[in-house]
Amino acid sequence: FFAVAKLRESERGSNIFAKKTCDLLYSGDGHNLPGFMIGRQLCVVSCMLFVARVTSVDMKGEANLFGVPDGVQGLFNTGLLGAVMLTILGSISWQLVASAFPIAFLSNPLTYVLLRLCLLLEGTGICQGAWVLAAIHKKIANFQRDEVYIGTAEERAKQEMGDDSALPHVGTGHLVKLPGFSENAPKSLKDLMRKDDNVKNYLNEVAENMDSA
């Protein structure tokens, strides 16, 4: 959801569920996104408590499971192993995949259903105190939305802030194996690279040769 929040609306796909999910998540002042995070945490905690209870083992005085030592059996009794498995299989692994393929996950109808469920849990008000603490933290730290600093995705696109191919292919954003003098070069040399195409072409040729070496 955070990755898609920085995309323009036209880049979020044409799937009906992707559009419905984005409309619900980013509508208004965008309060549904943090609301989802609260509801998601409630859902995760509830699932972990349930799985921990289901996977806990009570031998009731009988021999240990699989004949393991008492210390290991005590670990089985806590249900911690089930909670760890739920965290890995049911939470972290899916977050990693979703971060790599956000549009595909938005297009899944189940994502929209789970979003509605998380917002419903948040709407119960169980964790309303989180909003109060967040507001206090925002006030103290003077936090601002990203749009205040960098604008929305649409505003950035209108500014056409793409790469300028006329500039030398050196410096920040260009991972080339230069000897190290380009970034630390005197200002006069940098100005010369911008003014003299021969100097710029020479440095680009050196960079290409070293990169292919």
Side-chain angles (χ1 to χ4, degrees), residues 167-174 176 178 182-183 193 200 203-204 207:
L167 295 176
H169 296 170
V170 295
T172 304
H174 299 282
V176 294
L178 288 176
S182 60
E183 294 182 358
M193 287 190 297
K200 180 187 69 175
L203 290 177
N204 287 337

Side-chain angles (χ1 to χ4, degrees), residues 3-36:
V4 178
K6 306 305 178 185
L7 297 179
R8 287 178 291 174
E9 186 175 353
S10 59
E11 297 174 338
R12 294 173 181 172
S14 57
N15 183 275
I16 183 173
F17 283 102
K19 292 183 176 181
K20 289 171 67 70
T21 300
C22 291
D23 290 342
L24 176 61
L25 201 58
Y26 308 124
S27 61
D29 294 332
H31 289 160
N32 281 347
L33 180 56
F36 159 77

Side-chain angles (χ1 to χ4, degrees), residues 26-64:
Y26 308 124
S27 61
D29 294 332
H31 289 160
N32 281 347
L33 180 56
F36 159 77
M37 296 301 297
I38 295 175
R40 172 192 171 279
Q41 196 63 33
L42 285 172
C43 186
V44 170
V45 171
S46 301
C47 290
M48 290 188 68
L49 291 175
F50 174 76
V51 171
R53 180 60 179 171
V54 171
T55 57
S56 60
V57 181
D58 186 2
M59 302 308 295
K60 296 182 178 179
E62 298 182 5
N64 291 345

